[in-house]
């Protein structure tokens, strides 16, 4: 059927395999907006201070559940923030807790709140060995941090310098290459041996780096890894629409207050939790592949994480609506991606 004739879409309820909810007084809005879209989400641990222990993850999980409205069954899937000093014992505790589903690698200095991240993966080998043994996946922010490497090349260099050597050392370690942005990463994940998956954000499927500079500098399109050239966006679209079960939705919705983005040194992150599913639908529709959407949003992720696929369905209708100019964010405001612009699909 030609895509333009499709007016409604019914799919298994999606999960978000990469989400930043933050903490404190913003949790109420970030968590309740995500819960309207997703049944479950992998919650990123880059708080201040970062979530480095199972105990801290349990407390953060409780704060998220307390912030949610009563009528939701949203389930936060917690992660730990890997440091040079995370002991293997912490991995055993994480596994026993049943609430921790991954350990996040932030190369130190790579992005927001990554100062406490890993300076060298060699320091983490015993801990990574324990993760391999326990079957806990390593969720990687896949960029090198060497400032002499061009920002647009940092992901591709990471594959050669970090990812391939690590996977030689620990071939059975489960890995999620988070928020991939390049043809190199899409091809690596498609072809590599062993247990590897990748998340792809809606913004990297919809926009290329030109969007950062349309008539001036556009801070709300600035995220890390940064938007890339069009050929990379096309490679991501190809990867997610090929029914390859290694690719799944992870919004990397990363809210920052308006003033922290519209700033002489603006923070990285696009806020999409309020309309991510609609953005994904728009991306799949653009390439005429709507029938592949459900695999990417609702089936591949749970299979990778050994969790059940959701039972309930959601419905989207083809209906033009305007993304709000701003949304509440504690006492401040957050500007959603594509604020004030029209979008063609609406979640019912
Ligand atoms: O753009 C980003 N924002 N990329 C990240 O890796 C972190 C995130 C954040 O936490 O703001
Ligand atoms: Zn992220």
């Amino acid at each position: 059927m030609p895509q333009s004739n499709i007016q409604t879409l019914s799919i298994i309820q999606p999960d978000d395999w990469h989400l930043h909810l933050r903490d404190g007084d913003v949790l109420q809005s970030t968590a309740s907006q995500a819960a309207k879209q997703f049944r479950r989400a992998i919650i990123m641990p880059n708080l201040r201070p970062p979530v480095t222990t199972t105990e801290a993850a349990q407390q953060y999980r409780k704060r998220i559940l307390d912030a949610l409205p009563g009528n939701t069954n949203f389930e936060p899937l917690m992660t730990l923030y890997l440091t040079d000093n995370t002991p293997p014992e912490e991995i055993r505790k994480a596994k026993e807790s049943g609430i921790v589903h991954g350990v996040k690698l932030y190369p130190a200095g790579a992005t927001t709140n990554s100062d406490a991240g890993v300076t060298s993966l060699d320091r983490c080998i015993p801990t990574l060995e324990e993760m391999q043994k326990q079957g806990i996946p390593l969720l990687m922010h896949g960029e090198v941090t060497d400032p002499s490497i061009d920002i647009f090349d940092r992901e591709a260099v990471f594959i050669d310098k970090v990812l391939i050597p690590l996977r030689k050392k620990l071939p059975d370690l489960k890995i999620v290459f988070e928020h991939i942005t390049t043809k190199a990463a899409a091809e690596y994940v498609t072809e590599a041996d062993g247990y590897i998956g990748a998340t792809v954000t809606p913004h990297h499927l919809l926009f290329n780096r030109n969007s950062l500079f349309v008539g001036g500098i556009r801070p709300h399109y600035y995220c890390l890894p940064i938007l890339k050239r069009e050929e990379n966006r096309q490679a991501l679209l190809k990867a997610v629409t090929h029914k390859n079960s290694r690719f799944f939705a992870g919004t990397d919705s990363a809210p920052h207050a308006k003033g922290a983005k519209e700033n002489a040194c603006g923070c990285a992150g696009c806020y999409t939790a309020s309309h991510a599913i609609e953005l994904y639908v728009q991306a799949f529709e653009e390439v005429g592949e709507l029938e592949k959407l459900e695999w990417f949003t609702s089936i591949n992720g749970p299979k990778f994480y050994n969790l059940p696929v959701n039972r309930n369905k959601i419905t989207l209708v083809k209906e033009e609506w305007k993304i709000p100019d701003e949304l509440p964010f504690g006492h401040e405001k957050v500007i959603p991606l594509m604020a004030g612009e029209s979008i063609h699909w609406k979640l019912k």
Side-chain angles (χ1 to χ4, degrees):
M1 202 200 308
Q3 305 277 313
S4 53
N5 291 347
I6 300 178
Q7 298 295 319
T8 64
L9 205 58
S10 170
I11 58 169
I12 296 169
Q13 184 170 20
D15 304 298
D16 183 350
W17 301 98
H18 184 130
L19 175 66
H20 299 266
L21 290 179
R22 315 301 190 203
D23 204 355
D25 67 352
V26 306
L27 255 189
Q28 224 162 13
S29 51
T30 58
S32 56
Q33 281 167 21
K36 283 188 190 147
Q37 295 251 316
F38 298 102
R39 164 76 179 83
R40 297 171 290 201
I42 286 276
I43 308 298
M44 286 296 130
N46 61 333
L47 306 180
R48 266 182 205 283
V51 181
T52 53
T53 63
T54 303
E55 200 187 338
Q58 276 159 333
Q59 289 162 359
Y60 184 30
R61 180 172 179 274
K62 182 168 185 312
R63 293 196 296 281
I64 295 167
L65 293 173
D66 288 347
L68 285 165
N71 59 352
T72 163
N73 60 355
F74 180 76
E75 195 181 334
L77 308 172
M78 308 311 291
T79 60
L80 298 189
Y81 183 114
L82 186 67
T83 73
D84 287 350
N85 305 312
T86 306
E89 176 57 22
E90 196 58 55
I91 302 303
R92 289 189 280 276
K93 278 190 202 154
K95 181 71 184 184
E96 274 165 29
S97 77
I99 61 139
V100 175
H101 295 265
V103 175
K104 180 72 192 271
L105 164 69
Y106 287 105
T111 187
T112 309
N113 296 349
S114 63
D115 325 348
V118 170
T119 61
S120 160
L121 267 178
D122 288 338
R123 301 187 174 190
C124 305
I125 296 299
T127 304
L128 296 170
E129 281 170 345
E130 191 61 33
M131 287 168 58
Q132 178 173 253
K133 189 170 153 201
Q134 302 289 347
I136 293 192
L138 178 66
L139 318 181
M140 298 183 130
H141 183 110
E143 287 191 289
V144 291
T145 53
D146 178 348
S148 71
I149 309 281
D150 191 282
I151 190 169
F152 293 97
D153 297 334
R154 287 179 193 169
E155 183 174 282
V157 173
F158 180 90
I159 298 172
D160 293 330
K161 292 269 167 69
V162 183
L163 183 55
I164 292 175
L166 175 72
R167 299 193 75 230
K168 275 208 183 106
K169 247 180 240 167
L170 297 166
D172 296 325
L173 178 64
K174 292 184 184 179
I175 288 186
V176 183
F177 197 163
E178 298 287 349
H179 43 50
I180 61 165
T181 63
T182 55
K183 187 165 185 251
E187 287 176 352
Y188 177 79
V189 173
T190 301
E191 291 158 15
D193 292 331
Y195 211 109
I196 186 163
T199 52
V200 189
T201 76
H203 37 292
H204 291 102
L205 291 175
L206 284 168
F207 301 105
N208 64 35
R209 66 190 196 175
N210 288 343
S211 300
L212 283 160
F213 306 108
V214 180
I217 194 154
R218 301 281 184 155
H220 299 292
Y221 288 80
Y222 173 58
C223 62
L224 289 170
I226 198 160
L227 294 173
K228 302 294 191 301
R229 283 178 180 276
E230 177 63 9
E231 67 195 46
N232 293 290
R233 186 178 81 92
Q234 291 299 332
L236 298 179
L237 283 165
K238 188 174 151 204
V240 300
T241 55
H242 269 58
K243 254 193 172 175
N244 182 321
S245 62
R246 288 182 167 178
F247 297 96
F248 35 90
T251 64
D252 198 15
S253 174
H256 293 275
K258 181 174 191 278
K261 294 280 297 172
E262 299 172 7
N263 191 291
C265 187
C267 294
C270 298
Y271 187 60
T272 54
S274 54
H275 54 310
I277 297 175
E278 288 98 326
L279 294 173
Y280 279 128
V281 178
Q282 194 144 310
F284 276 66
E285 185 182 47
E286 178 194 320
V287 287
E289 297 278 17
L290 280 177
E291 73 280 7
K292 311 272 177 58
L293 179 77
E294 190 179 48
W295 290 89
F296 173 74
T297 56
S298 316
I299 298 171
N300 297 343
K303 288 209 164 146
F304 181 92
Y305 278 94
N306 289 324
L307 290 167
V309 171
N310 293 326
R311 295 229 190 125
N312 57 314
K313 292 217 160 196
I314 59 159
T315 302
L316 290 127
V317 291
K318 193 142 192 189
E319 178 186 314
E320 201 87 0
W321 63 287
K322 207 180 98 171
I323 296 167
D325 291 325
E326 54 182 35
L327 289 166
F329 187 59
H331 297 300
E332 302 190 69
K333 299 284 179 204
V334 61
I335 309 297
L337 187 78
M338 292 180 71
E341 290 182 48
S342 283
I343 178 166
H344 317 309
W345 286 87
K346 185 130 187 58
L347 178 64
K348 282 286 134 189

